[in-house]
Amino acid sequence: MKAVLQVQNLSVDFETQRGRLQALRDVSFSIDAGEIVGVVGESGCGKSTLIASLMRLLADNAILRSGSALLQDKDLLQISQRDMQALRGRDISVVFQDPMTALNPVISIGQQMIDIQHREQISKAEKRKRVINILEKVGIPDPASRLNAYPHEFSGGMRQRVCIAMALMMRPKLLIADEPTTALDATLEVQVLRLLQELQSEIGCSILFISHHLGVIAELCSKVIVMYAGEVVEYGPVSQIFRSPSHPYTRKLLECDPGRIKERSHVLPSIPGELPDLTQPPPGCIFRLRCDLATEKCLKQIPEAQAVSTDHWAKCHYAESAQ
Amino acid sequence: MSFRYTLAGRLLRDPLAVLGLSIIVLLVLSALFADHLSPHAYAELNIANRFASPSLEHWLGTDNLGRDTLSRVLQGGRIALLVGILSVVIAGGIGLLLGTLAGFGPRWLDNTILFLFDTMRAYPTIILALALATLMPRGLSTVIIVVVLTSFSEYGRVARTQTQSLREHEFIAAERALGASSIRIILRHILPNILGPFFILVAINLPVVITIEAGMSFLGVGVPPGTPSWGSTLKDGFDHIRTTPWLILGGGIPLILVTIGFTFLGEALRDVLDPKLRGER
Amino acid sequence: MGLYFLQRFALALSILFIAVSALYAIMVMLPGDPTSVLLGPRATEEMRANYALQMGLNDPVIVQILNFWGRIINGDLGQDVLRNRPVSEPVLQALPYTAALIAAAIIWSATLGILLGALSAAKRNTAFDRITGILSVAFIAAPSFVVALWSLLVFAVLLRWFPAIGAGEPGNLPDQLYHLILPGFAIGLSWVGYIARIVRASMLEVMSENHIRTASAFGIPRYRIIYIYALRVAVLPAVTVLGVGVGGLLSSAVFAEIVFARPGIGKLIYESVTSRNYPVVMGCMLVSIGFFLTCTLIADFINALLDPRLRSKK
């Protein structure tokens, strides 16, 4: 199957007062058409930087050190801002974490959704029709009468539905879902996830699904990217990674979550130790300081990706033996 | 703590703060030593030399009575500073007292004081000054009363907001639980924490006060006749605008300088004391 | 929304009541014969006795205040004893001139200030931003009556581009607008600085909010994000500040009206003070405070128009 998104060797630094912070280092993965890929990792692991890089919405102090991100045949990191602007919201779109603050408070949702279609050569009536259509699909009751409503007039769950409608209205090839259910309670979470799944299969887009929640990833995704301190430490099919994790970090994540995938928790299980200072990354393996298996080799040599099986690799010297 | 981290050290690293401070220091010095700096006695009349253009003898020319403008402007700085400092101290004191009371006291007291603040704000300063001028004798005390009446509520608002946000803090709640009296809490914990925002407001408010004094003197309801004030110099300039334009320059420039000086200082203070507000220039 | 405005309106009315009553009480209770204050030093003994009886000056203060308000409700602002006419006559004649002056100042300073503030925020840390920042401080630092005097000197006396005095020929709108330019410029200038700074600060805050990131992620054009999505949120504090700022503008208007010899509340009150015509002073005071409070209500209303969250507040 052809990859919709192919990220290769992506490295991003931030210029800070304490020096250069290496927020992303050598991140590579790919997403196939119609596939849902999960990203999991503690806060500070680089998930937000990854999203911002793909959307080209990085802060001014960010420096793209290397890498490419091919959305079909366009490199999102190299094309002009103008070309990128044409892709945003249309070929690549995002649902953000907090629906309470994600929508403009003083512009009606109908207007916001019509604005997203500013590049379409269709009449305003047709734009309205499209808005009503997608709002109906995400389960907003009587959408035609809600076009003039403002975000604060919707409940949290309904707002997230509106956000999803906005993101999917243009039928993007890739949807980035940035912890779309973290701010919602458990019942709403299930509803929103089901909705995302339904719409995904109808539209046929790929989803990069970022979550703290291992259970949700297991349910929803076919592949998972495990990130730690700005690196992808393990990548592979969900079934394999959850059954036989190859990186010690992944293993710890799963171990700390005793019910594994059953228990719904909004925070990632905590692992002893702290994230390393990314302005001065320690030598050797980035996870060494928190790893029980660390040896002399881990200090001396940065581990390469070790293939565990097809489409499954881990950045650990002992990936295979750990199996 | 090394110098660069003290308040003064941080202020002196900001070029605009240094500019503001220099203007203020210059102004204070020239006011203090006005008698020595003035080339002429400020009240010295010289009818033969009325409306003189600026010259080496009279740098800013002379006014309609032949008095040296520069000397009068230097003396005017004294009046401005005197009125400014006195009214800020009085208004600040009243505001601080009412504001902490409102922020710390029961709900009804808060509402009453807030209503008082709203009411005082409804008086347009200069119009109130004119109205009171009909009732009170012309003089500095009237100026100060007007300024205090129209500006204490601003200090009060700041003190109230700060107190309210502080009283929710844990350390104050803990003190209360331990049975500390309200007065002790206010003196030990709230006052020191209000002072930062308070001084910022003082710096911003001082030039406003000085401008009100000048404005009242311009309208003839400020300083008594004959007293050198920037406002009365401006008034003389206005009355003779076609013959002596330098009078309105001489009265206006120090007023603008003083505002620029205190504004820069106030902003630098805000940056140093209240980093949250940084960028809100 | 209705209840919210009813509350604001009630608050404004009570402020008006207390503020004017307090002034009236001060006037009556101050040492000295109120009739001499009210009638001025030129009044005869007979006039005073007559007036005291007529105005109920021998009643307790509370009764006098209530009577005063009773008359006002009936549209009677009192009697201008010096010139023998109702106070409402000169006051209502003057009010439109002052209102026009303040409106002109607000319109030009808000337009330019919002524009400069928004552009500064959009071009943050560029030369444009820095120059605007310094200009803003310079504008704020210039007291309105100094600006009035200097612009009178430069543009009216020296260059003769604008008329020096008056409000223009009644009924001749272009002429009146022409006469409005210099005074409007003088009292609006510092507000350009204020508004630019407020809008810049609040724009920077809004631009870092989540909904702006969402709009960018959906490919909404940058100019639309800045000038519609962000600015509509960012002007809200500026509107409130402008509403309260009318108090300051009323004070500035006094100077502008005197310097440019324009009719208006400020000029009227100034002349009445000079001639110690207290009933007119009181009438002007009442109208100015009422005008100020009305403007704060209008600002509340505009904010509610711009901010749907306020509108649905009970």
Side-chain angles (χ1 to χ4, degrees):
Chain A
M1 217 184 268
K2 196 173 181 281
V4 167
L5 179 74
Q6 194 154 23
V7 175
Q8 219 127 57
N9 309 108
L10 173 61
S11 297
V12 174
D13 288 356
F14 285 108
E15 201 76 71
T16 70
Q17 286 181 329
R18 291 182 302 125
R20 275 200 171 200
L21 188 143
Q22 304 181 12
L24 288 181
R25 291 182 313 285
D26 208 22
V27 168
S28 302
F29 62 88
S30 70
I31 303 176
D32 287 342
E35 190 182 31
I36 307 184
V37 173
V39 178
V40 69
E42 293 164 288
S43 37
C45 72
K47 292 176 292 188
S48 328
T49 311
L50 177 64
I51 301 172
S53 313
L54 294 179
M55 295 303 294
R56 284 277 287 279
L57 294 172
L58 281 166
D60 292 340
N61 62 339
I63 299 150
L64 175 70
R65 213 149 35 100
S66 69
S68 62
L70 294 177
L71 182 76
Q72 294 185 319
D73 47 359
K74 286 180 189 131
D75 187 347
L76 297 178
L77 304 176
Q78 298 302 330
I79 57 175
S80 67
Q81 272 295 348
R82 204 196 161 100
D83 290 345
M84 187 66 216
Q85 181 70 13
L87 296 182
R88 283 190 199 120
R90 203 169 171 197
D91 293 285
I92 176 170
S93 202
V94 200
V95 176
F96 286 106
Q97 181 174 349
D98 183 6
M100 303 314 273
T101 58
L103 296 168
N104 191 297
V106 300
I107 299 176
S108 68
I109 60 148
Q111 185 61 49
Q112 295 187 45
M113 292 181 76
I114 286 170
D115 282 353
I116 297 172
Q117 305 175 56
H118 68 99
R119 292 155 291 207
E120 307 308 301
Q121 305 292 328
I122 53 175
S123 72
K124 190 150 184 216
E126 279 172 276
K127 289 182 182 173
R128 270 176 60 95
K129 207 184 277 172
R130 193 183 265 180
V131 172
I132 294 171
N133 189 16
I134 186 82
L135 283 177
E136 192 150 33
K137 270 189 193 151
V138 298
I140 304 287
D142 192 11
S145 70
R146 302 290 271 163
L147 288 187
N148 291 326
Y150 293 91
H152 71 274
E153 295 171 89
F154 291 85
S155 67
M158 283 295 155
R159 279 194 223 186
Q160 196 59 304
R161 284 168 191 265
V162 172
C163 292
I164 292 173
M166 286 184 173
L168 291 179
M169 184 172 53
M170 308 307 295
R171 301 183 155 256
K173 298 185 179 82
L174 175 68
L175 174 73
I176 301 173
D178 180 9
E179 307 196 23
T181 57
T182 309
L184 304 176
D185 67 42
T187 357
L188 286 175
E189 176 169 38
V190 178
Q191 291 176 7
V192 167
L193 288 175
R194 202 159 293 155
L195 175 71
L196 261 181
Q197 244 169 342
E198 274 168 30
L199 289 169
Q200 187 260 347
S201 59
E202 190 197 315
I203 294 171
C205 62
S206 310
I207 299 182
L208 184 64
F209 190 91
I210 289 143
S211 181
H212 270 138
H213 193 331
L214 297 172
V216 168
I217 293 209
E219 234 169 82
L220 199 68
C221 307
S222 54
K223 288 206 190 103
V224 64
I225 296 165
V226 182
M227 287 188 75
Y228 179 77
E231 283 181 23
V232 177
V233 291
E234 185 163 4
Y235 169 81
V238 164
S239 52
Q240 278 197 35
I241 288 189
F242 276 71
R243 209 177 319 116
S244 52
S246 295
H247 195 282
Y249 176 66
T250 320
R251 224 157 22 234
K252 287 211 172 201
L253 280 184
L254 292 168
E255 266 165 29
C256 290
D257 195 5
R260 286 266 165 128
I261 56 175
K262 287 190 191 87
E263 197 172 333
R264 291 190 175 273
S265 132
H266 283 304
V267 282
L268 205 63
S270 59
I271 298 170
E274 278 173 23
L275 279 173
D277 178 3
L278 292 182
T279 52
Q280 286 151 330
C285 170
I286 192 77
F287 188 59
R288 180 175 51 86
L289 298 170
R290 287 166 86 178
C291 183
D292 304 329
L293 307 173
T295 62
E296 192 72 4
K297 190 181 180 190
C298 302
L299 171 68
K300 291 207 171 116
Q301 203 180 335
I302 298 177
E304 295 283 316
Q306 308 265 326
V308 183
S309 63
T310 17
D311 264 359
H312 179 185
W313 51 261
K315 275 190 185 169
C316 175
H317 295 305
Y318 307 102
E320 268 172 287
S321 58
Q323 277 230 300
Chain B
M1 199 155 65
S2 78
F3 178 68
R4 51 178 295 158
Y5 294 108
T6 61
L7 177 63
R10 279 152 77 194
L11 272 185
L12 290 182
R13 271 187 297 162
D14 181 345
L16 288 183
V18 173
L19 177 65
L21 269 175
S22 325
I23 294 175
I24 295 164
V25 167
L26 244 137
L27 179 87
V28 171
L29 287 180
S30 68
L32 282 180
F33 298 106
D35 290 337
H36 304 278
L37 291 170
S38 300
H40 300 267
Y42 68 86
E44 183 188 296
L45 301 178
N46 185 352
I47 301 298
N49 195 19
R50 295 168 69 202
F51 304 127
S53 300
S55 62
L56 277 180
E57 173 78 11
H58 300 283
W59 290 11
L60 284 174
T62 61
D63 64 9
N64 48 320
L65 298 175
R67 298 173 299 194
D68 180 53
T69 311
L70 178 62
S71 307
R72 292 189 71 75
V73 167
L74 284 171
Q75 290 285 340
R78 285 188 163 186
I79 304 282
L81 278 184
L82 182 73
V83 171
I85 291 167
L86 275 179
S87 3
V88 164
V89 167
I90 299 172
I94 297 175
L96 209 53
L97 183 73
L98 289 177
T100 38
L101 272 180
F104 211 77
R107 187 71 182 262
W108 64 266
L109 188 63
D110 185 27
N111 285 337
T112 313
I113 293 177
L114 203 58
F115 182 77
L116 175 71
F117 290 167
D118 280 342
T119 307
M120 294 317 295
R121 189 171 66 181
Y123 291 113
T125 310
I126 291 298
I127 296 186
L128 181 69
L130 285 169
L132 290 182
T134 47
L135 302 172
M136 290 194 276
R138 181 171 169 176
L140 282 187
S141 53
T142 304
V143 176
I144 292 173
I145 289 173
V146 167
V147 171
V148 168
L149 278 180
T150 52
S151 66
F152 78 83
S153 65
E154 240 178 288
Y155 294 99
R157 272 173 213 280
V158 169
R160 174 179 172 271
T161 323
Q162 291 289 321
T163 312
Q164 266 181 343
S165 69
L166 278 169
R167 69 184 276 182
E168 308 303 332
H169 271 273
E170 268 174 41
F171 70 98
I172 286 177
E175 283 261 327
R176 279 192 137 176
L178 290 172
S181 72
S182 295
I183 292 180
R184 186 189 142 84
I185 294 177
I186 289 177
L187 289 180
R188 290 278 315 256
H189 297 290
I190 300 210
L191 265 186
N193 279 301
I194 294 181
L195 287 181
F198 194 73
F199 279 123
I200 299 168
L201 189 60
V202 167
I204 291 170
N205 203 241
L206 242 168
V208 176
V209 168
I210 290 175
T211 307
I212 295 173
E213 181 272 312
M216 287 178 71
S217 299
F218 177 81
L219 295 176
V221 295
V223 294
T227 316
S229 149
W230 296 338
S232 34
T233 302
L234 283 166
K235 170 70 173 152
D236 292 338
F238 172 54
D239 289 341
H240 306 281
I241 194 161
R242 282 162 210 280
T243 43
T244 50
W246 47 88
L247 277 181
I248 61 171
L249 292 180
I253 287 170
L255 258 182
I256 291 177
L257 276 182
V258 101
T259 317
I260 289 182
F262 279 107
T263 309
F264 280 156
L265 179 69
E267 266 166 40
L269 269 178
R270 173 157 57 194
D271 284 353
V272 174
L273 294 175
D274 203 353
K276 282 194 306 279
L277 294 170
R278 198 177 291 241
E280 202 171 304
R281 300 193 300 160
Chain C
M1 177 166 84
L3 190 63
Y4 172 70
F5 273 103
L6 216 62
Q7 279 173 351
R8 307 292 300 171
F9 186 65
L11 182 69
L13 272 187
S14 34
I15 289 175
L16 181 70
F17 179 77
I18 298 291
V20 177
S21 301
L23 212 63
Y24 190 91
I26 291 173
M27 177 188 79
V28 179
M29 290 194 298
L30 226 59
D33 183 6
T35 53
S36 69
V37 173
L38 285 167
L39 295 179
R42 280 170 281 181
T44 63
E45 201 57 48
E46 190 194 1
M47 270 170 81
R48 280 185 201 166
N50 225 334
Y51 188 74
L53 196 68
Q54 186 195 333
M55 303 302 284
L57 288 177
N58 305 322
D59 296 337
V61 179
I62 302 286
V63 176
Q64 286 189 46
I65 290 175
L66 290 179
N67 283 337
F68 170 72
W69 282 103
R71 291 196 297 276
I72 286 175
I73 290 168
N74 290 320
D76 175 12
L77 289 185
Q79 190 67 20
D80 175 355
V81 202
L82 278 187
R83 303 179 63 180
N84 210 9
R85 56 179 177 179
V87 167
S88 55
E89 196 183 297
V91 170
L92 291 183
Q93 256 170 24
L95 185 63
Y97 288 102
T98 305
L101 176 58
I102 287 176
I106 288 182
I107 290 168
W108 92 266
S109 62
T111 312
L112 188 59
I114 290 172
L115 205 71
L116 287 178
L119 276 171
S120 277
K123 298 174 189 288
R124 186 182 188 182
N125 291 339
T126 59
F128 176 85
D129 182 25
R130 277 173 236 277
I131 292 170
T132 311
I134 292 169
L135 272 182
S136 301
V137 176
F139 290 165
I140 292 171
S144 59
F145 67 104
V146 177
V147 180
L149 286 170
W150 287 7
S151 49
L152 172 74
L153 175 68
V154 175
F155 299 113
V157 175
L158 298 178
L159 296 173
R160 294 174 184 280
W161 288 352
F162 295 100
I165 54 168
E169 202 181 306
N172 182 348
L173 192 64
D175 190 47
Q176 289 191 324
L177 287 177
Y178 187 43
H179 280 78
L180 205 52
I181 292 175
L182 272 191
F185 166 78
I187 70 173
L189 188 65
S190 60
W191 282 93
V192 177
Y194 279 125
I195 299 295
R197 285 159 53 115
I198 293 167
V199 169
R200 177 184 182 276
S202 110
M203 272 295 272
L204 289 178
E205 205 182 304
V206 175
M207 288 297 283
S208 67
E209 281 171 9
N210 281 342
H211 60 87
I212 296 298
R213 185 185 57 176
T214 312
S216 317
F218 287 151
I220 294 184
R222 193 174 146 76
Y223 69 85
R224 197 169 169 81
I225 290 180
I226 292 174
Y227 297 106
I228 296 186
Y229 278 61
L231 193 56
R232 278 198 52 181
V233 183
V235 291
L236 299 173
V239 174
T240 310
V241 168
L242 261 177
V244 174
V246 169
L249 281 167
L250 272 167
S251 287
S252 307
V254 176
F255 297 113
E257 285 165 7
I258 290 168
V259 169
F260 295 100
R262 272 178 69 85
I265 291 287
K267 185 129 196 305
L268 180 64
I269 199 173
Y270 177 67
E271 286 166 356
S272 312
V273 165
T274 324
S275 59
R276 303 189 80 78
N277 190 343
Y278 211 83
V280 177
V281 173
M282 204 61 194
C284 289
M285 203 66 208
L286 175 80
V287 168
S288 331
I289 297 175
F291 183 77
F292 166 75
L293 292 169
T294 311
C295 290
T296 57
L297 284 180
I298 292 175
D300 280 343
F301 187 71
I302 293 177
N303 260 342
L305 279 185
L306 291 173
D307 189 348
R309 288 167 297 182
L310 266 181
R311 237 178 292 159
S312 52
K313 212 157 97 181
K314 46 160 182 123

